[in-house]
């Protein structure tokens, strides 16, 4: 039982390159989230999907796109990476309101 | 505009003493509050939560207090242990996304 799995764990990109961060869950939870963590900034919501087939913008969506492929998978795409997108990205899942969210181990992305 | 504020970036406490981490919120629609703990190179892990219908919730060494009139919650760790050294995030939610504070780095000194 892996819970929430993120791939890759580390990535270095050149400015302008594209990539997709993958998140998969085996917890059968409805809601999935992408957060980024930057020093002194806490965890900021990029995009979320309350249920399969829906996605919504969070606090910092610019420069990102998402796809909720099915109930298990929620991917985050950077079409043209910028140094400001250097961060640690976390995927999280949650079953409903008034419950905790479960996080993946994170993807450390560096854009040079 | 920060809806969840953790005004102390860091806190140092001696082993065995009490650690008190504070969190303030501005959105009166928040009705469920959580604390997460994060070690370096790991994802945040859930620690304890409280519903707005309660003012206290305990789980072993961890107690969360909620003061709705002041829009303030706190996490008490008693006794503090070196393994508690981590970054602690406060989070709140009225609906599906969790809103996080910036975190407080706790250092427990042996």
């Amino acid at each position: 039982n892996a819970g929430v799995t993120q791939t890759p764990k580390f990535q270095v990109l050149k400015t302008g390159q594209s990539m997709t961060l993958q998140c998969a869950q085996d917890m059968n939870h409805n809601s999935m989230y992408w957060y980024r963590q930057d020093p002194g900034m806490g965890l900021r919501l990029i995009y979320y999907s309350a249920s399969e087939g829906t996605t919504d913008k969070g606090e910092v969506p610019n420069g990102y796109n998402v796809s909720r492929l099915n109930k298990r998978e929620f991917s985050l795409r950077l079409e043209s990476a910028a140094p400001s997108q250097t961060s640690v990205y976390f995927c999280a899942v949650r079953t409903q309101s008034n419950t905790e969210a479960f996080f993946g181990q994170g993807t450390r992305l560096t854009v040079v | 505009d920060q809806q969840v504020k953790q005004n102390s970036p860091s806190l140092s406490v001696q082993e065995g003493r009490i650690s008190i981490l504070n969190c303030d919120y501005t959105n009166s629609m928040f009705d469920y509050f959580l604390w997460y703990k994060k070690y370096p190179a790991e994802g945040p892990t859930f620690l304890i939560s409280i519903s707005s219908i309660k003012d206290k919730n305990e789980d072993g060494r961890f107690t969360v207090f909620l003061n709705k009139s002041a829009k303030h919650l706190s996490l008490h760790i008693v006794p503090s242990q070196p393994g508690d050294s981590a970054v602690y995030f406060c989070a709140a939610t009225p609906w599906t996304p969790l809103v996080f504070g910036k975190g407080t780095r706790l250092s427990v000194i042996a």
Side-chain angles (χ1 to χ4, degrees), chain A residues 13 16-21 63-65 76-82 85-86 89 109 111:
Chain A
L13 286 179
Q17 285 185 317
S18 62
M19 80 160 294
T20 300
L21 283 66
Y64 305 95
N65 285 302
L76 179 71
R77 182 159 179 85
L78 288 70
E79 290 291 353
S80 179
Q85 294 177 304
T86 293
Y89 291 85
L109 175 67
V111 183

Side-chain angles (χ1 to χ4, degrees), chain A residues 31 33 35 37 40-45 48-50 88 90 94 97-106 108, chain B residues 1 31-32 34 36 38 41-46 49 51 87 89 93-103:
Chain A
S31 300
Y33 312 85
Y35 289 90
Q37 187 196 8
M41 300 299 290
L43 290 156
R44 293 183 293 170
L45 183 67
Y48 68 100
S49 171
V88 182
F90 290 101
R94 190 163 175 230
S97 298
N98 292 4
T99 61
E100 67 267 31
F102 298 89
F103 283 80
Q105 292 293 295
R108 183 173 293 274
Chain B
D1 180 29
D31 61 0
Y32 191 71
L34 309 91
Y36 279 80
K38 187 183 179 307
E42 295 185 10
T45 54
F46 170 72
S49 62
S51 166
V87 177
F89 290 101
T93 179
W95 48 77
T96 186
L98 292 176
V99 180
F100 285 86
K102 292 186 176 182

Side-chain angles (χ1 to χ4, degrees), chain B residues 61-80:
Chain B
R61 297 186 297 114
F62 303 91
T63 302
V64 56
F65 295 92
L66 176 63
N67 182 334
K68 282 197 299 181
S69 61
K71 294 192 175 68
H72 176 83
L73 64 156
S74 60
L75 174 69
H76 293 211
I77 306 173
V78 184
S80 301

Side-chain angles (χ1 to χ4, degrees), chain A residues 16-66:
Chain A
Q17 285 185 317
S18 62
M19 80 160 294
T20 300
L21 283 66
Q22 307 284 358
C23 176
Q25 57 142 335
D26 61 6
M27 305 179 79
N28 201 35
H29 286 344
N30 292 322
S31 300
M32 299 185 74
Y33 312 85
W34 278 105
Y35 289 90
R36 61 178 287 175
Q37 187 196 8
D38 302 291
M41 300 299 290
L43 290 156
R44 293 183 293 170
L45 183 67
I46 305 170
Y47 270 94
Y48 68 100
S49 171
S51 61
E52 187 179 351
T54 68
T55 60
D56 285 285
K57 295 179 180 179
E59 180 185 356
V60 289
N62 291 344
Y64 305 95
N65 285 302
V66 289

